[in-house]
Amino acid sequence: MEDKTRADLFTTMVQIRAFEEAILADYHADKKPAWDIGAGLIPGEMHLSAGQEPVAAGVCAHLDNRDAVTATHRPHHFAIAHGMDINKLAAEIYGRETGLGRGRGGHMHLFDPDTHFSCSGIIAEGYPPALGQALAFKRQGAGAIAVAVTGEGAANQGAFHESLNLAALWNLPVVFVVEDNDWAISVPRTSSTSVLSNADRAAAYGIPGIRVEDNSVEGVYDAAGEAVQRARSGGGPTLIEVHTLRLWGHFEGDAQAYRPELPEVPGRDPIPSYEQQLIADAVLDETQIEQLRDEAKKRVQDALDFAKSSPTPDPSTATHYVFA
Amino acid sequence: MTATTEATRRLTGSKAMVEAIAQEMERDPNVIVLGEDVGTYGGIFGSTTGLLDTFGPDRVMDTPISETAFIGLGIGAAVEGLRPIVELMFVDFFGVCMDQIYNHMAKIHFESGGNVKVPMVLMTAVGGGYSDGAQHSQTLWGMFAHLPGMKVVVPSNPADAKGLMTAAIRDDNPVIYLFHKGLQGLVWMAKQSRAMGNVPEEPYEVEIGKAAVAREGADVTIVTLSLSVQHAIEVAEELAPEGIDVEVLDLRSLVPLDRDAVAASVAKTGRLVVVDEDYQSFGLSGEIIATVAERGVALKSAPIRVAVPDVPIPYARELEYAVLPRQDRIRDAVRKVMG
Ligand SMILES: Cc1ncc(C[n+]2csc(CCOP(=O)(O)OP(=O)(O)O)c2C)c(N)n1
Ligand SMILES: [Mg+2]
């Protein structure tokens, strides 16, 4: 793999992490003294994607903003990797009028026409719309594709299976991505899923299925490269499952008492290990990495400043935007 | 047990629910619990805390995120003699599994000419007020109530949470049990001062279909349910010094709907405000006013509805507060019907 590609993958991962860490800090900053999910600068449920950066970085490296992505309740990594304007992303999370959805949507409901990005708080429900985007792209004939993302827990939902069948049947340009982070809230995949790998389920619908182990960003990059190529060239859908890591809780405030592996989780963080690898291979040196981190943090700081200095929505407009 | 211990034991909504379920599981081995995160986690909103430890994994079952499959499974199990309590984590998720609920769970008794019973409880969390956005903040009870064949219960306090749950489990009909997140007494949510309440220790039923007068008053009736009952009582107490005497009627169930209680209270006060955290149009609030109209109850002023103004629940706090039936809107409505 080219050095430039590897450095780019790393940069994307660092950018995502910088964003999630900043949101994490602000989310918890003002929920005191008694922790109240509805209080503070960022209220509501918050599902952060730390640890899952390799999936978004590896997949989105093959996309441009003609391509669609439908993501999940845990959407920030894909939003950022797919090139969403992080000012608008941040402003939506802070519930501001300048946000993607003018503060109406919130962090699970991001809709960005510029990057054909969307997500849903209802698990697996991003799969079906991706089919329609793929159908539209196919008719338009410009080679754009749709990527549909879901968690391993969501792969037990009807919408997942119906979508695989229909996409295969109509040979739609879709790449299905399953992020297997071992957990669906407190339920481990062994208690939810009858097969060891969701990639095996692809066979039931007559499409290729591949599982990427070890949360490897380069493994994802390779698998997604092939799948995206197949979709763009009319070869139909592919299912990719990535064995990834939920570094933090299911949502912020989740004590994770159900998670026996917790002590060793930080040691599986994909970013430090990739960093070491890139240094060892002389792709990047420590100075470059520090610089790249600083730049990522700066971009995030700018986005947060933009969000926090933006106006909150006017309550008298609360019933706007229900209809076109 | 003495009356004094009863009166002094205060529980949260979630503890009251769990106690009802545990007592029924103790009494009847056919009662089982299933749903997402109901085992080790104890229910995202604390509705099953500790049940796994007490009753084991054969009776308290974590499911995959496959609502159609496990709600349908509940129906089949109920038909064959079990009494399943199935949790749908948020009511908002009904969309992925509604066919099992309304075309099967709710219709089997009718379609079988009364020969097949479906004694199950579908419990689910409702309500907003904490910026969870349009897909995690709805109440939707009017929708279930619109569809014939299921009882729909909505507790407003811990004592009813327990008694209605016990009644729901013992009922031979499918019962949708909608509990408000804001009444569960969760450590991670704003504390509703009335989320704690006295709860008798022994098993008891609160009859499904009987409304309760939560506060007596002479000037205006607020007909309401769930968390809004607590808001309404607060407003009533605030307005009392101004000489406005508010009666608060807690419906406790939509199906059956205690129309007699509604008519009686409104006949007494002559003024009506309906407070409903559901969408305004085509739902409960209209049904209440229709009931009053059909019964020819004389009103001194036009009734007012305080409900969600037919808009999805917005994320931003300013917007969400503007559409929910919070105390300020209830207060304004009461003043307005008083003229
Ligand atoms: C239809 C539906 N059922 C349940 C939920 C509640 N819920 C939200 S996320 C989640 C777990 C999802 O697990 P997974 O798909 O593995 O994604 P992860 O959170 O691990 O990224 C559940 C049960 C939901 N949002 N939608
Ligand atoms: Mg998962």
Side-chain angles (χ1 to χ4, degrees):
Chain A
M1 189 176 293
E2 285 179 30
D3 283 0
K4 163 92 172 59
T5 308
R6 302 180 80 191
D8 286 350
L9 291 172
F10 182 72
T11 306
T12 305
M13 288 166 60
V14 166
Q15 183 67 70
I16 295 166
R17 182 66 59 87
F19 188 85
E20 298 296 61
E21 282 175 345
I23 297 295
L24 179 77
D26 262 6
Y27 183 80
H28 289 282
D30 52 3
K31 289 198 169 45
K32 299 171 181 108
W35 204 84
D36 168 9
I37 191 170
L41 209 48
I42 308 177
E45 273 184 86
M46 182 51 65
H47 313 83
L48 297 173
S49 65
Q52 302 186 186
E53 296 90 349
V55 192
V59 170
C60 294
H62 301 284
L63 308 181
D64 57 50
N65 60 17
R66 306 168 296 164
D67 299 315
V69 173
T70 65
T72 70
H73 57 285
R74 197 182 303 289
H76 303 167
H77 55 328
F78 269 92
I80 293 167
H82 193 41
M84 183 184 284
D85 175 347
I86 65 169
N87 284 13
K88 289 187 189 169
L89 169 62
E92 188 60 26
I93 294 171
Y94 286 81
R96 302 305 166 112
E97 192 63 37
T98 53
L100 284 168
R102 301 184 165 97
R104 272 74 181 165
H107 111 105
M108 287 189 273
H109 313 290
L110 307 168
F111 296 88
D112 182 21
D114 292 344
T115 57
H116 301 270
F117 183 95
S118 63
C119 60
S120 173
I122 310 297
I123 59 97
E125 293 295 312
Y127 265 43
L131 269 53
Q133 292 177 293
L135 177 73
F137 294 155
K138 195 172 168 181
R139 292 202 180 187
Q140 289 156 7
I145 67 154
V147 172
V149 187
T150 195
E152 92 295 335
N156 298 305
Q157 186 74 208
F160 173 87
H161 295 271
E162 294 181 24
S163 299
L164 259 55
N165 178 61
L166 185 54
L169 186 70
W170 289 2
N171 197 42
L172 296 171
V174 192
V175 176
F176 295 112
V177 177
V178 177
E179 297 183 282
D180 173 13
N181 59 11
D182 292 321
W183 294 95
I185 312 185
S186 73
V187 178
R189 68 163 296 144
T190 46
S191 304
S192 72
T193 307
S194 62
V195 289
L196 287 175
S197 163
N198 276 301
D200 294 348
R201 290 172 157 178
Y205 305 100
I207 63 171
I210 178 167
R211 180 165 162 101
V212 177
E213 293 295 347
D214 301 325
N215 211 9
S216 158
V217 68
E218 297 188 5
V220 176
Y221 180 85
D222 290 342
E226 221 179 277
V228 168
Q229 178 52 33
R230 180 176 299 122
R232 285 206 203 288
S233 59
T238 305
L239 175 66
I240 302 172
E241 178 166 74
V242 184
H243 193 199
T244 186
L245 173 74
R246 200 186 78 201
L247 195 56
W248 302 337
H250 172 74
F251 48 78
E252 286 315 309
D254 176 6
Q256 303 194 76
Y258 53 80
R259 201 172 172 186
E261 46 154 10
L262 210 51
E264 42 122 337
V265 165
R268 283 160 42 205
D269 187 335
I271 293 186
S273 56
Y274 197 45
E275 179 174 337
Q276 289 316 307
Q277 208 180 317
L278 295 188
I279 292 172
D281 295 350
V283 174
L284 291 167
D285 62 29
E286 269 151 30
T287 325
Q288 287 169 309
I289 287 175
E290 201 183 297
Q291 194 186 338
L292 170 163
R293 275 217 162 89
D294 287 346
E295 282 164 12
K297 282 186 187 151
K298 169 87 175 51
R299 269 192 294 275
V300 170
Q301 194 51 55
D302 290 348
L304 265 53
D305 289 346
F306 169 78
K308 289 189 250 189
S309 62
S310 292
T312 55
D314 177 352
S316 72
T317 65
T319 57
H320 292 192
Y321 307 115
V322 180
F323 293 106
Chain B
M1 198 201 335
T2 67
T4 4
T5 51
E6 275 180 37
T8 51
R9 207 185 58 133
R10 292 171 68 75
L11 297 184
T12 60
S14 65
K15 291 227 167 72
M17 275 176 81
V18 171
E19 186 167 276
I21 296 171
Q23 286 174 344
E24 291 309 289
M25 290 182 82
E26 212 58 81
R27 194 183 58 79
D28 180 352
N30 287 317
V31 177
I32 58 169
V33 174
L34 55 117
E36 292 155 20
D37 303 281
V38 299
T40 313
Y41 199 105
I44 296 299
F45 303 106
S47 54
T48 60
T49 307
L51 294 176
L52 176 65
D53 289 343
T54 312
F55 298 101
D58 288 342
R59 294 183 69 193
V60 181
M61 292 174 275
D62 271 339
T63 60
I65 315 172
S66 308
E67 286 87 355
T68 291
F70 71 74
I71 291 174
L73 179 150
I75 296 168
V79 161
E80 297 302 339
L82 298 185
R83 300 188 88 88
I85 302 167
V86 183
E87 178 160 284
L88 175 65
M89 190 187 292
F90 288 70
V91 75
D92 313 68
F93 307 158
F94 86 86
V96 303
C97 53
M98 192 59 169
D99 197 74
Q100 288 298 326
I101 297 171
Y102 91 109
N103 264 332
H104 297 86
M105 187 184 85
K107 289 180 182 164
I108 287 174
H109 187 264
F110 175 78
E111 290 171 329
S112 71
N115 287 319
V116 180
K117 293 188 175 69
V118 188
M120 71 182 271
V121 179
L122 185 62
M123 64 178 176
T124 185
V126 301
Y130 62 103
S131 288
D132 215 358
Q135 297 177 342
H136 289 76
S137 303
Q138 301 165 97
T139 61
L140 300 175
W141 41 58
M143 196 196 50
F144 293 100
H146 181 65
L147 301 162
M150 15 180 185
K151 295 190 176 177
V152 180
V153 307
V154 185
S156 71
N157 61 70
D160 285 359
K162 178 171 175 181
L164 286 170
M165 177 56 84
T166 303
I169 297 168
R170 293 180 186 176
D171 203 299
D172 276 343
N173 296 286
V175 179
I176 311 256
Y177 180 104
L178 303 121
F179 58 95
H180 201 291
K181 293 162 233 171
L183 289 169
Q184 290 295 87
L186 301 167
V187 294
W188 46 276
M189 227 173 241
K191 311 298 168 288
Q192 222 294 330
S193 51
R194 293 186 176 81
M196 291 276 278
N198 295 337
V199 180
E201 213 162 313
E202 79 285 353
Y204 62 92
E205 292 183 47
V206 167
E207 188 184 341
I208 299 175
K210 280 271 171 287
V213 176
R215 184 187 190 278
E216 271 188 58
D219 298 331
V220 47
T221 300
I222 299 180
V223 174
T224 187
L225 70 173
S226 189
L227 177 65
S228 301
V229 171
Q230 306 305 344
H231 294 343
I233 293 172
E234 250 172 67
V235 169
E237 275 158 19
E238 252 179 69
L239 293 178
E242 292 180 26
I244 303 177
D245 192 14
V246 178
E247 176 143 307
V248 178
L249 186 70
D250 175 1
L251 289 171
R252 299 205 287 201
S253 65
L254 285 83
V255 179
L257 182 61
D258 193 347
R259 297 178 198 271
D260 291 345
V262 172
S265 176
V266 179
K268 179 176 81 174
T269 62
R271 296 184 186 88
L272 172 61
V273 173
V274 187
V275 181
D276 182 9
E277 200 185 317
D278 206 347
Y279 301 121
Q280 175 160 317
S281 298
F282 312 104
L284 175 69
S285 59
E287 189 64 30
I288 296 299
I289 293 172
T291 299
V292 169
E294 279 170 351
R295 301 239 175 152
V297 179
L299 289 173
K300 297 173 188 156
S301 58
I304 297 183
R305 295 192 263 178
V306 183
V308 177
D310 301 331
V311 58
I313 311 292
Y315 163 67
R317 185 181 297 124
E318 299 76 11
L319 300 174
E320 187 184 21
Y321 281 15
V323 307
L324 290 178
R326 293 169 57 82
Q327 290 87 335
D328 51 345
R329 290 179 60 206
I330 300 172
R331 197 181 307 118
D332 292 349
V334 171
R335 288 217 171 94
K336 194 160 171 222
V337 284
M338 288 304 295

